[in-house]
Amino acid sequence: MAANGRRPRSRYSPPGPVSGNLARKMDSRELERRLESSGQLDFDQQYHRRQESRAELRARQRAKAKAAVRPAQKVSAAAVLGFGCVALLVMAVLMCYVRINAISRSIVSMKNQISELEVEQVALLTEYERLFDLSTVKEAAEAAGMTQPSESQIYYVDLPGEDQAVAYGGESTGVLERIFTSAGQGICAAVEYFQR
């Protein structure tokens, strides 16, 4: 070998120039084994599934279909009654809101009427005072030929005894008749109130 002019390479001598990667190549099984032992391998990749038979596949599909279909449940009477009561209360609240709205509209219209009537009252009072002014009445009376009475035309009448007044009332009624009359008036008043 020395004859060629080359020196023998020692075991520990530095290598010459390297092209490529010096990392050790591992096959996939060895890589999986190392990853599995280090805990970096995904759980699904650790175990290989065996091939399913047709019977197992059908059983799994049936179980999935059974889980997807939910059995019909019975509706309890208390739940139906509760929902009915809630619906009635909601309707009652809505009717009360409608009633309140109608009442507020009537109150607004009545306030408008009151303001119009107050203006009319002021106009009528001024007209009344103008028409019934004493000087105007005196002038109208003199124009009609009326005159003040003289002392000789005035007569005073004195009656003996004190002033008396007699009140004539109806016959006294029984207790039951008065109770029925007041109950009937109360019912009529309630009906009239709710008809508005």
Side-chain angles (χ1 to χ4, degrees):
M1 285 203 212
N4 291 356
R6 286 189 190 177
R7 277 185 349 187
R9 228 164 132 183
S10 83
R11 192 170 181 181
Y12 299 105
S13 66
V18 176
S19 63
N21 192 355
L22 289 179
R24 187 173 147 205
K25 291 187 178 179
M26 291 186 278
D27 62 343
S28 62
R29 286 186 184 173
E30 186 178 347
L31 180 64
E32 285 181 11
R33 186 176 53 77
R34 284 192 181 199
L35 287 174
E36 184 178 319
S37 65
S38 68
Q40 295 178 2
L41 189 64
D42 192 18
F43 180 76
D44 292 336
Q45 293 175 354
Q46 288 183 16
Y47 302 101
H48 294 289
R49 286 190 178 180
R50 65 177 179 79
Q51 196 68 15
E52 276 186 323
S53 67
R54 285 190 174 204
E56 290 173 340
L57 180 66
R58 285 185 193 146
R60 191 165 49 82
Q61 287 175 348
R62 276 194 220 114
K64 194 185 259 187
K66 276 186 182 178
V69 175
R70 194 167 133 197
Q73 295 179 352
K74 290 184 179 179
V75 178
S76 67
V80 172
L81 184 64
F83 281 119
C85 289
V86 168
L88 286 175
L89 289 175
V90 167
M91 290 300 294
V93 167
L94 286 175
M95 294 304 290
C96 288
Y97 277 126
V98 168
R99 181 94 172 135
I100 286 173
N101 194 9
I103 289 171
S104 64
R105 276 192 308 228
S106 66
I107 287 172
V108 168
S109 68
M110 285 180 186
K111 283 184 178 179
N112 291 338
Q113 286 178 353
I114 287 172
S115 62
E116 290 172 4
L117 290 174
E118 285 175 348
V119 170
E120 188 177 348
Q121 179 189 13
V122 169
L124 289 174
L125 279 176
T126 55
E127 181 73 19
Y128 175 79
E129 289 174 359
R130 188 181 62 80
L131 291 176
F132 290 101
D133 186 25
L134 288 178
S135 60
T136 310
V137 171
K138 187 175 182 182
E139 290 173 6
E142 288 175 355
M146 297 178 148
T147 58
Q148 287 275 343
S150 63
E151 289 290 328
S152 62
Q153 293 174 328
I154 298 175
Y155 296 100
Y156 296 100
V157 178
D158 288 330
L159 296 174
E162 298 179 7
D163 293 337
Q164 295 180 359
V166 177
Y168 294 99
E171 298 176 8
S172 63
T173 58
V175 175
L176 285 175
E177 188 174 335
R178 280 186 278 165
I179 290 173
F180 287 132
T181 304
S182 63
Q185 289 173 350
I187 291 171
C188 289
V191 168
E192 182 179 334
Y193 175 77
F194 286 113
Q195 282 180 351
R196 289 184 195 171

